[in-house]
Amino acid sequence: MKAVKQALHVATVPSSVVCREVEQKKVIEFCKACIEQEKAGSIYVCGCPGTGKTLSINKVKEQLLSWSKEVGLQPLESLALNCTSLTNTSEIFSKILEKLNSSKKRKGRLTPLQHLQDLFCQRSSSNSGMMLLIIIDEMDYLITKDRAVLHDLFMLTTFPFSRFILIGIANAIDLADRFLQRLKSLNCEPFVVTFCAYSKDQIVEILQQRLMNLGCNVFEPLALEYCARKVAAASGDMRKVLDACRTAIEVLETELRDSSTKEQPNSVTFDHMDVALSKAFKSPKVDIIKSLPQHQQLNKSYLETCKTVHVPAVGSLEFTEMCRVLSDQGLIKLGQSKQDRLKRVTLQIDILDISFAFKDIRFFKNCLEDY
């Protein structure tokens, strides 16, 4: 049981990433072309959470590093950054500069971005021929009001002596659409690779791949198929699948430990999985959402929603206070801004928890369906 739970842990990296071969091939072919031609390029990888984006790109990086050595090219350098660890959005340029130019002192009072722009405007003997693969995960966090950081970041790939491949990973499928036209006008439009939600059959294949080398059948086939079908219908989030399967094992372990009879099943059944899935789609946040006053549950497109459903809207001061309450509860995150109306609001919980909390309340269920 311990070995199975370890194999199904979200932090356990499988030997190969199945069901994402097409997406990986697109990224690899793009990167190989850039490396062989010694030119910069950018890729935007998007998809819902739990669709294998980061896992796939990490596998791509390993393959590219091996390939560059095998064909006799100058070793490919790499830099992986997660934007959630940055103290501010512009720190991304400092991180890139450290990787490219850690041994040199900056010129005058140039900012890290300006230093990079200066570096890529002239041929450098130290960087000549060297290619750098930069992987930026959680790129959604770089979104600012004017999106200047994102624009400047992709613009770096257009400089004459730029020698890096930028791969940005984000959960926002529509992020590219929101700034793609601007990037196109700046001649730095990225190559877009979309990761769709996993289907039921893909989820089953991934689970089988993770369990195939354990030499034991812990799950009844019907239990795995039920889990795959349930999550595929809701979100296709593989992390939900892994969590549910691990929980199902724990349900079985508890049953075996507490039972005095020998007739208990020694594998995860449909009933065990049903209990696990109920827990997976229910969290403490759901109870918090359910207990909130009606106005505090309407936090997206508030005024438009109130107008559509004929609910009187509260004033701006009261609405701001309600947002602070939601932030204190850990349901949303409010960005930094002197003006309340300009503060960026980020959802801090799974959208599935919201849907689950409102599934029996027709009023809010209809609101969600409209948006």
Side-chain angles (χ1 to χ4, degrees):
M1 294 293 187
K2 184 178 180 181
V4 175
K5 285 195 290 184
Q6 181 62 38
L8 295 174
H9 198 285
V10 69
T12 299
V13 180
S15 57
S16 61
V17 183
V18 296
C19 302
R20 287 299 181 223
E21 293 84 359
V22 174
E23 293 83 356
Q24 291 179 60
K25 184 179 179 182
K26 289 180 181 179
V27 176
I28 288 175
E29 289 180 348
F30 181 91
C31 292
K32 282 184 177 180
C34 290
I35 294 171
E36 290 172 337
Q37 298 171 36
E38 294 188 3
K39 71 173 186 178
S42 61
I43 304 176
Y44 173 64
V45 176
C46 60
C48 296
T51 52
K53 301 184 298 296
T54 301
L55 193 61
S56 293
I57 296 304
N58 286 336
K59 287 295 181 182
V60 166
K61 181 184 74 172
E62 293 175 7
Q63 293 180 47
L64 287 173
L65 292 174
S66 299
W67 170 79
S68 64
K69 293 178 182 178
E70 290 173 2
V71 298
L73 296 174
Q74 185 170 335
L76 178 68
E77 297 289 330
S78 65
L79 171 65
L81 297 171
N82 190 304
C83 294
T84 59
S85 64
L86 302 176
T87 55
N88 58 73
T89 56
S90 59
E91 189 185 1
I92 191 79
F93 302 116
S94 299
K95 298 291 185 181
I96 297 174
L97 186 59
E98 288 173 11
K99 181 67 178 181
L100 282 173
N101 200 31
S102 58
S103 61
K104 290 188 177 183
K105 294 182 178 180
R106 297 182 187 176
K107 295 181 180 179
R109 297 181 179 179
L110 294 180
T111 65
L113 172 60
Q114 291 170 334
H115 196 103
L116 285 171
Q117 292 169 338
D118 182 65
L119 185 66
F120 293 147
C121 278
Q122 54 190 325
R123 185 181 297 277
S124 171
S125 58
S126 61
N127 292 332
S128 180
M130 184 197 81
M131 290 294 293
L132 175 63
L133 178 66
I134 302 177
I135 300 172
I136 300 179
D137 206 351
E138 304 288 356
M139 199 172 67
D140 317 57
Y141 283 80
L142 294 182
I143 302 174
T144 55
K145 182 184 177 183
D146 58 2
R147 300 187 181 89
V149 173
L150 277 175
H151 293 155
D152 290 335
L153 182 61
F154 281 92
M155 271 290 289
L156 288 175
T157 62
T158 67
F159 283 74
F161 297 103
S162 175
R163 295 292 182 271
F164 76 90
I165 303 168
L166 173 66
I167 301 181
I169 307 173
N171 290 329
I173 295 178
D174 64 334
L175 178 59
D177 295 333
R178 283 185 268 158
F179 73 103
L180 200 56
Q181 289 302 317
R182 174 61 174 161
L183 293 181
K184 185 182 293 186
S185 68
L186 296 172
N187 196 32
C188 57
E189 182 181 2
F191 175 54
V192 179
V193 179
T194 303
F195 281 60
C196 298
Y198 286 116
S199 67
K200 186 263 291 184
D201 292 337
Q202 287 177 323
I203 291 174
V204 171
E205 183 178 348
I206 293 170
L207 288 173
Q208 291 173 339
Q209 188 253 359
R210 282 182 174 252
L211 298 170
M212 64 186 298
N213 296 323
L214 295 176
C216 58
N217 295 320
V218 177
F219 295 88
E220 292 185 358
L222 185 60
L224 285 184
E225 184 174 339
Y226 175 51
C227 177
R229 191 182 301 277
K230 180 91 172 180
V231 177
S235 65
D237 187 337
M238 196 62 207
R239 295 174 305 180
K240 282 278 188 184
V241 175
L242 296 175
D243 288 342
C245 287
R246 284 166 55 84
T247 302
I249 294 175
E250 292 169 358
V251 173
L252 172 61
E253 287 178 319
T254 301
E255 190 175 278
L256 292 173
R257 187 168 53 248
D258 297 341
S259 176
S260 58
T261 66
K262 296 183 179 181
E263 297 180 359
Q264 292 295 332
N266 57 3
S267 61
V268 174
T269 65
F270 179 95
D271 290 338
H272 297 136
M273 188 61 73
D274 190 43
V275 173
L277 287 169
S278 296
K279 293 182 179 180
F281 287 97
K282 182 177 175 65
S283 71
K285 300 296 184 184
V286 173
D287 295 328
I288 293 175
I289 296 171
K290 284 185 174 181
S291 66
L292 291 173
Q294 189 177 86
H295 275 297
Q296 290 183 2
Q297 296 178 26
L298 296 171
N299 56 51
K300 182 181 180 183
S301 302
Y302 177 70
L303 295 176
E304 290 82 356
T305 303
C306 287
K307 183 178 179 180
T308 300
V309 297
H310 307 292
V311 173
V314 299
S316 59
L317 292 178
E318 187 176 349
F319 179 72
T320 299
E321 182 57 33
M322 291 190 302
C323 287
R324 290 199 184 99
V325 173
L326 292 173
S327 179
D328 292 341
Q329 294 278 11
L331 301 177
I332 64 172
K333 178 181 178 181
L334 297 177
Q336 299 295 322
S337 177
K338 292 182 179 179
Q339 299 183 49
D340 288 331
R341 64 185 182 86
L342 296 180
K343 287 183 178 180
R344 183 186 174 201
V345 179
T346 306
L347 192 63
Q348 294 292 91
I349 57 175
D350 197 316
I351 188 66
L352 291 175
D353 286 340
I354 299 176
S355 299
F356 187 87
F358 292 155
K359 67 182 179 67
D360 296 323
I361 306 175
R362 182 179 299 177
F363 175 81
F364 292 121
K365 185 179 179 181
N366 291 340
C367 288
L368 288 174
E369 289 176 351
D370 290 337
Y371 290 90

